[in-house]
PDB file of all heavy atoms in Angstrom:
ATOM      1  N   PRO A  29      -0.912   5.793   3.940  1.00 93.00           N
ATOM      2  CA  PRO A  29      -1.319   5.219   5.270  1.00 93.00           C
ATOM      3  C   PRO A  29      -2.878   5.184   5.363  1.00 93.00           C
ATOM      4  O   PRO A  29      -3.562   5.693   4.414  1.00 93.00           O
ATOM      5  CB  PRO A  29      -0.723   6.252   6.292  1.00 93.00           C
ATOM      6  CG  PRO A  29      -0.352   7.449   5.479  1.00 93.00           C
ATOM      7  CD  PRO A  29      -0.269   7.053   4.033  1.00 93.00           C
ATOM      8  N   ARG A  31      -4.755   6.914   7.112  1.00 96.00           N
ATOM      9  CA  ARG A  31      -5.210   8.192   7.516  1.00 96.00           C
ATOM     10  C   ARG A  31      -4.159   9.140   7.156  1.00 96.00           C
ATOM     11  O   ARG A  31      -3.074   9.035   7.402  1.00 96.00           O
ATOM     12  CB  ARG A  31      -5.604   8.329   9.016  1.00 96.00           C
ATOM     13  CG  ARG A  31      -4.419   8.351   9.955  1.00 96.00           C
ATOM     14  CD  ARG A  31      -4.699   7.858  11.308  1.00 96.00           C
ATOM     15  NE  ARG A  31      -5.106   6.470  11.303  1.00 96.00           N
ATOM     16  CZ  ARG A  31      -5.966   5.944  12.172  1.00 96.00           C
ATOM     17  NH1 ARG A  31      -6.249   6.601  13.271  1.00 96.00           N
ATOM     18  NH2 ARG A  31      -6.223   4.667  12.243  1.00 96.00           N
ATOM     19  N   VAL A  32      -4.586  10.370   6.571  1.00 96.00           N
ATOM     20  CA  VAL A  32      -3.651  11.390   6.287  1.00 96.00           C
ATOM     21  C   VAL A  32      -4.508  12.725   6.554  1.00 96.00           C
ATOM     22  O   VAL A  32      -5.629  12.979   5.926  1.00 96.00           O
ATOM     23  CB  VAL A  32      -3.228  11.420   4.768  1.00 96.00           C
ATOM     24  CG1 VAL A  32      -2.373  12.694   4.583  1.00 96.00           C
ATOM     25  CG2 VAL A  32      -2.520  10.186   4.533  1.00 96.00           C
ATOM     26  N   LYS A  33      -3.904  13.652   7.381  1.00 96.00           N
ATOM     27  CA  LYS A  33      -4.497  14.960   7.547  1.00 96.00           C
ATOM     28  C   LYS A  33      -3.874  15.807   6.425  1.00 96.00           C
ATOM     29  O   LYS A  33      -2.666  16.085   6.358  1.00 96.00           O
ATOM     30  CB  LYS A  33      -4.133  15.525   8.872  1.00 96.00           C
ATOM     31  CG  LYS A  33      -4.743  16.855   9.191  1.00 96.00           C
ATOM     32  CD  LYS A  33      -4.354  17.345  10.571  1.00 96.00           C
ATOM     33  CE  LYS A  33      -4.926  18.727  10.821  1.00 96.00           C
ATOM     34  NZ  LYS A  33      -4.457  19.239  12.095  1.00 96.00           N
ATOM     35  N   LEU A  34      -4.765  16.363   5.536  1.00 96.00           N
ATOM     36  CA  LEU A  34      -4.261  17.159   4.510  1.00 96.00           C
ATOM     37  C   LEU A  34      -3.749  18.478   4.947  1.00 96.00           C
ATOM     38  O   LEU A  34      -4.221  18.964   5.958  1.00 96.00           O
ATOM     39  CB  LEU A  34      -5.414  17.328   3.329  1.00 96.00           C
ATOM     40  CG  LEU A  34      -5.421  16.159   2.383  1.00 96.00           C
ATOM     41  CD1 LEU A  34      -5.862  14.958   3.023  1.00 96.00           C
ATOM     42  CD2 LEU A  34      -6.365  16.538   1.251  1.00 96.00           C
ATOM     43  N   PRO A  35      -2.821  19.101   4.171  1.00 94.00           N
ATOM     44  CA  PRO A  35      -2.093  20.311   4.810  1.00 94.00           C
ATOM     45  C   PRO A  35      -2.843  21.608   4.549  1.00 94.00           C
ATOM     46  O   PRO A  35      -2.292  22.656   4.335  1.00 94.00           O
ATOM     47  CB  PRO A  35      -0.762  20.412   4.015  1.00 94.00           C
ATOM     48  CG  PRO A  35      -1.168  19.761   2.660  1.00 94.00           C
ATOM     49  CD  PRO A  35      -2.219  18.519   2.928  1.00 94.00           C
ATOM     50  N   GLY A 209      -0.105  13.931  -4.421  1.00 94.00           N
ATOM     51  CA  GLY A 209       0.921  14.837  -3.640  1.00 94.00           C
ATOM     52  C   GLY A 209       0.418  15.282  -2.312  1.00 94.00           C
ATOM     53  O   GLY A 209       1.247  15.351  -1.352  1.00 94.00           O
ATOM     54  N   MET A 210      -0.891  15.582  -2.213  1.00 94.00           N
ATOM     55  CA  MET A 210      -1.494  15.890  -0.836  1.00 94.00           C
ATOM     56  C   MET A 210      -1.399  14.799   0.135  1.00 94.00           C
ATOM     57  O   MET A 210      -1.187  14.910   1.342  1.00 94.00           O
ATOM     58  CB  MET A 210      -2.840  16.385  -0.863  1.00 94.00           C
ATOM     59  CG  MET A 210      -3.099  17.672  -1.746  1.00 94.00           C
ATOM     60  SD  MET A 210      -2.659  19.178  -0.779  1.00 94.00           S
ATOM     61  CE  MET A 210      -0.975  19.522  -1.711  1.00 94.00           C
ATOM     62  N   LEU A 211      -1.551  13.633  -0.324  1.00 94.00           N
ATOM     63  CA  LEU A 211      -1.535  12.436   0.540  1.00 94.00           C
ATOM     64  C   LEU A 211      -0.090  11.970   0.881  1.00 94.00           C
ATOM     65  O   LEU A 211      -0.006  11.129   1.826  1.00 94.00           O
ATOM     66  CB  LEU A 211      -2.388  11.325  -0.175  1.00 94.00           C
ATOM     67  CG  LEU A 211      -3.793  11.487  -0.430  1.00 94.00           C
ATOM     68  CD1 LEU A 211      -4.420  10.206  -1.129  1.00 94.00           C
ATOM     69  CD2 LEU A 211      -4.628  11.832   0.840  1.00 94.00           C
ATOM     70  N   GLN A 212       0.878  12.463   0.270  1.00 87.00           N
ATOM     71  CA  GLN A 212       2.209  12.158   0.536  1.00 87.00           C
ATOM     72  C   GLN A 212       2.842  13.072   1.501  1.00 87.00           C
ATOM     73  O   GLN A 212       4.004  12.903   1.877  1.00 87.00           O
ATOM     74  CB  GLN A 212       3.055  11.898  -0.819  1.00 87.00           C
ATOM     75  CG  GLN A 212       2.511  10.669  -1.450  1.00 87.00           C
ATOM     76  CD  GLN A 212       3.136  10.553  -2.913  1.00 87.00           C
ATOM     77  OE1 GLN A 212       3.657  11.499  -3.433  1.00 87.00           O
ATOM     78  NE2 GLN A 212       3.032   9.344  -3.465  1.00 87.00           N
ATOM     79  N   VAL A 213       2.185  14.117   1.845  1.00 64.00           N
ATOM     80  CA  VAL A 213       2.655  15.121   2.782  1.00 64.00           C
ATOM     81  C   VAL A 213       2.945  14.471   4.199  1.00 64.00           C
ATOM     82  O   VAL A 213       2.108  13.613   4.585  1.00 64.00           O
ATOM     83  CB  VAL A 213       1.747  16.224   2.920  1.00 64.00           C
ATOM     84  CG1 VAL A 213       1.976  17.195   4.055  1.00 64.00           C
ATOM     85  CG2 VAL A 213       1.639  17.029   1.599  1.00 64.00           C
ATOM     86  N   PRO A 214       4.065  14.674   4.943  1.00 56.00           N
ATOM     87  CA  PRO A 214       4.169  14.024   6.142  1.00 56.00           C
ATOM     88  C   PRO A 214       2.995  14.276   7.131  1.00 56.00           C
ATOM     89  O   PRO A 214       2.193  15.234   7.066  1.00 56.00           O
ATOM     90  CB  PRO A 214       5.383  14.814   6.774  1.00 56.00           C
ATOM     91  CG  PRO A 214       6.079  15.280   5.566  1.00 56.00           C
ATOM     92  CD  PRO A 214       5.067  15.689   4.536  1.00 56.00           C
ATOM     93  N   LEU A 215       2.755  13.285   7.906  1.00 45.00           N
ATOM     94  CA  LEU A 215       1.566  13.137   8.804  1.00 45.00           C
ATOM     95  C   LEU A 215       1.565  14.185  10.072  1.00 45.00           C
ATOM     96  O   LEU A 215       1.307  13.710  11.112  1.00 45.00           O
ATOM     97  CB  LEU A 215       1.361  11.700   9.269  1.00 45.00           C
ATOM     98  CG  LEU A 215       1.020  10.847   8.118  1.00 45.00           C
ATOM     99  CD1 LEU A 215       0.781   9.396   8.668  1.00 45.00           C
ATOM    100  CD2 LEU A 215      -0.310  11.247   7.436  1.00 45.00           C
ATOM    101  N   ALA A 216       1.986  15.303   9.855  1.00 39.00           N
ATOM    102  CA  ALA A 216       2.085  16.168  11.033  1.00 39.00           C
ATOM    103  C   ALA A 216       0.765  16.314  11.585  1.00 39.00           C
ATOM    104  O   ALA A 216      -0.297  16.740  10.888  1.00 39.00           O
ATOM    105  CB  ALA A 216       2.594  17.601  10.570  1.00 39.00           C
ATOM    106  N   GLY A 217       0.551  16.099  12.896  1.00 42.00           N
ATOM    107  CA  GLY A 217      -0.727  16.305  13.682  1.00 42.00           C
ATOM    108  C   GLY A 217      -1.607  15.094  13.415  1.00 42.00           C
ATOM    109  O   GLY A 217      -2.715  15.204  13.865  1.00 42.00           O
ATOM    110  N   ALA A 218      -1.233  14.133  12.668  1.00 46.00           N
ATOM    111  CA  ALA A 218      -2.135  13.024  12.425  1.00 46.00           C
ATOM    112  C   ALA A 218      -2.083  11.947  13.658  1.00 46.00           C
ATOM    113  O   ALA A 218      -1.168  11.869  14.157  1.00 46.00           O
ATOM    114  CB  ALA A 218      -1.921  12.401  11.094  1.00 46.00           C
TER     115      ALA A 218
END
Side-chain angles (χ1 to χ4, degrees):
R31 69 204 65 203
V32 177
K33 183 179 179 187
L34 275 66
M210 292 291 106
L211 297 178
Q212 292 173 341
V213 170
L215 296 177

